[in-house]
Amino acid sequence: DKCDFCGRCADFCMYNALAVTRDNIMIFPELCHSCGGCKLVCPKDAINYESRTIGSIEYGRDRDIDFYRGIANVGEVRTIPIIRELKNRIQKEKITILDAPPGAGCSVIETIEESDFCILVTEPTPFGLYDLRIAVDVVRRLKIPFGVVINKYGIGDRKLEIYCSKEDIPILMKIPFDRKIASLYSSGIPFVERMSEWKNRFREMFGMIEEKLK
Ligand code: SF4
Ligand code: SF4
């Protein structure tokens, strides 16, 4: 009721979550990043915030492993609060593995911040190398120790390995481009469950990471 449609809130909002016409104001909640700026610039104190559900968190347990999964609602662009909620569930005395989304955007940075170590999973292709360079830049800026796992090893070329060698980046593991692994993956079965020789390799990789953190 207090709004006089001056448009300052819409001008301020860099996410285009508000549109003001001569006699109306439209709100697009899915685009809002909750920065609070529109409320600050509104000269009429016409803006109030309401809480809304942007996603959910699922929990499961298998043997002694707790598993949490964050799910954003369809069309939701704000994933950071969901990641924060997930990270609130970390029990410091336990080993926690966080699976970040691909790329090097805000959600990746939110996920890896304060991690002890980052495993950058990549593929030996030009796209893989391009993305890896960006990810390496991010983890170096955040000063997080890291290593690389090459997935689908055997496709593409050796440029990725040459890059890692030049940059002194440890390659922790090479997972071959293997039909059986792909088939198990597509059935939702971790390949270590059926290809038991890989269990030791993952244990060795974990040991290497522990050594690096000493
Ligand atoms: S909500 Fe405030 S800033 Fe936005 S148009 Fe209305 S009066 Fe102006
Ligand atoms: S709180 Fe939301 S609508 Fe307001 S300026 Fe920030 S992003 Fe835009």
Side-chain angles (χ1 to χ4, degrees), residues 176-196:
F177 187 50
D178 182 306
R179 188 179 179 85
K180 191 172 175 190
I181 291 175
S183 168
L184 289 167
Y185 173 76
S186 66
S187 305
I189 301 169
F191 68 93
V192 290
E193 297 283 336
R194 300 287 167 83
M195 300 165 78
S196 55

Side-chain angles (χ1 to χ4, degrees), residues 117-122 132 136 139-140 144-150 160-174 205 208-209 212-213:
F117 193 89
C118 266
I119 300 172
L120 304 178
V121 182
T122 185
L132 180 67
V136 166
V139 288
R140 280 186 171 152
I144 301 172
F146 66 98
V148 162
V149 167
I150 305 178
L160 192 124
E161 286 173 90
I162 294 166
Y163 165 74
C164 289
S165 167
K166 272 190 190 156
E167 293 286 326
D168 202 19
I169 298 169
I171 295 175
L172 304 169
M173 184 185 278
K174 296 171 184 172
M205 181 173 75
M208 279 164 63
I209 294 169
K212 287 180 187 301
L213 293 177

Side-chain angles (χ1 to χ4, degrees), residues 68-92:
Y68 292 94
R69 178 166 79 149
I71 303 170
N73 288 347
V74 174
E76 185 58 61
V77 294
R78 292 185 60 220
T79 53
I80 303 293
I82 299 173
I83 295 168
R84 285 195 187 133
E85 272 304 313
L86 286 166
K87 290 180 82 173
N88 282 341
R89 286 156 173 77
I90 290 176
Q91 297 173 45
K92 299 266 183 196

